């Protein structure tokens, strides 16, 4: 079983809409959670990190972490076609490698 | 450009052949991790080195070996290549407890 699971596998939203991506970990040793974005033909790029319970907002992106349920989400408001990409949730504990989820493919329809 | 540099960007090999992939991390980054991506989606952890010492190993086939050198650059030596080795190979570098920064990857095609 994957230690980091993402849902949905794919998501389509209209331009200007809200996209919500979910991630759940099965490993309580994970303390740090990260969101990465990968555009076609490129390497993954770090979007944001979240280490504490609650919300963290960076521009149009808001991450939410619930450590008790090991659930983290990413919400993208006012989605743009340029947001169309593969989004990864990743988790680790101090100094360890990142364990990635299976990814969510987001398509923003113009 | 001060990003993670991977070479070559694309390589084609015959089944049973050998290949070497190189990763030059961001200056000062001693933590280097390799991932394999197939079908354009799942990132599979292969191996992690920190300060030139192997720290963790994942799905790295025994046919592959990875070494980190004094300047922290990393090389993946691949032998007895199989069709299933066709994939994108990414390396990522970081300081401890910082978000790993990925290179643009090497596309390996085994024919």
């Amino acid at each position: 079983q994957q230690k980091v699971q993402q849902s949905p596998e794919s998501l389509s939203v209209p331009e200007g809409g809200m996209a919500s991506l979910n991630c759940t970990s099965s490993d309580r040793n994970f303390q740090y959670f990260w969101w990465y974005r990968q555009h076609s033909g490129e390497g993954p790029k770090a979007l944001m990190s979240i280490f504490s319970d609650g919300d963290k907002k960076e521009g149009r992106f808001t991450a939410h972490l619930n450590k008790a349920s090991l659930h983290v989400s990413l919400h993208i408001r006012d989605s743009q076609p340029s947001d169309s990409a593969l989004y990864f949730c990743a988790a680790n504990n101090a100094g360890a490698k990142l364990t990635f989820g299976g990814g969510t493919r987001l398509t923003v329809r113009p | 450009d001060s990003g993670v540099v991977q070479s070559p960007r694309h390589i084609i090999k015959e089944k049973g052949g050998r290949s070497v992939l190189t990763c030059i991390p961001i200056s000062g980054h001693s933590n280097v991790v390799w991932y394999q991506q197939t079908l354009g989606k799942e990132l599979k952890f292969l191996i992690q080195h920190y300060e030139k010492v192997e720290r963790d190993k994942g799905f790295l086939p025994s046919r592959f070996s990875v070494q980190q050198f004094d300047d922290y650059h990393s090389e993946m030596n691949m032998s007895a290549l199989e069709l299933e080795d066709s994939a994108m190979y990414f390396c990522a570098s970081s300081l401890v407890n910082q978000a790993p920064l990925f290179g643009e990857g090497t596309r390996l095609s085994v024919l």
Side-chain angles (χ1 to χ4, degrees):
Chain A
Q1 180 193 7
Q2 264 191 319
K3 289 188 175 182
V4 178
Q5 294 185 301
Q6 291 185 242
S7 64
E9 284 193 17
S10 62
L11 177 64
S12 179
V13 300
E15 184 174 354
M18 172 78 82
S20 294
L21 290 68
N22 296 293
C23 174
T24 302
S25 169
S26 61
D27 189 337
R28 291 206 165 271
N29 290 318
F30 288 151
Q31 301 171 353
Y32 309 110
F33 295 86
W34 315 77
W35 285 99
Y36 277 75
R37 180 167 74 179
Q38 183 180 26
H39 285 108
S40 181
E42 299 179 3
K45 290 180 173 57
L47 262 181
M48 59 193 301
S49 61
I50 185 164
F51 304 155
S52 303
D53 278 332
D55 292 336
K56 181 178 181 180
K57 184 178 178 181
E58 292 185 1
R60 296 183 295 108
F61 298 84
T62 300
H64 176 81
L65 173 62
N66 181 327
K67 282 196 171 183
S69 61
L70 294 177
H71 180 262
V72 59
S73 57
L74 179 69
H75 306 277
I76 309 172
R77 66 172 176 82
D78 189 24
S79 297
Q80 301 298 307
S82 58
D83 294 328
S84 296
L86 187 56
Y87 288 77
F88 289 103
C89 170
N92 69 344
N93 49 24
K97 92 285 186 181
L98 286 180
T99 297
F100 283 83
T104 292
R105 189 169 298 281
L106 173 65
T107 301
V108 180
R109 308 186 304 272
Chain B
D1 185 18
S2 58
V4 176
V5 178
Q6 292 187 244
S7 62
R9 291 298 307 276
H10 188 191
I11 189 164
I12 301 172
K13 291 290 182 179
E14 290 190 352
K15 181 181 175 182
R18 307 170 64 92
S19 186
V20 179
L21 307 187
T22 300
C23 171
I24 300 175
I26 291 171
S27 179
H29 284 193
S30 57
N31 188 48
V32 176
V33 187
W34 286 89
Y35 291 89
Q36 180 195 61
Q37 186 174 42
T38 54
L39 301 176
K41 205 164 182 187
E42 182 186 3
L43 282 165
K44 189 181 295 185
F45 167 68
L46 295 179
I47 193 166
Q48 176 190 17
H49 282 81
Y50 176 66
E51 291 287 346
K52 298 175 288 181
V53 176
E54 179 184 308
R55 179 162 186 168
D56 195 1
K57 183 182 286 187
F59 294 95
L60 190 75
S62 59
R63 300 174 286 108
F64 297 1
S65 64
V66 177
Q67 187 176 0
Q68 187 178 32
F69 295 87
D70 288 345
D71 62 354
Y72 298 141
H73 91 271
S74 179
E75 291 184 359
M76 180 184 296
N77 280 273
M78 313 164 87
S79 62
L81 287 168
E82 300 177 358
L83 298 179
E84 66 189 36
D85 297 327
S86 295
M88 286 291 295
Y89 291 84
F90 289 101
C91 86
S93 76
S94 69
L95 299 172
V96 176
N97 294 334
Q98 289 190 350
L101 301 176
F102 281 75
E104 294 301 298
T106 293
R107 179 176 298 280
L108 171 66
S109 300
V110 181
L111 305 179

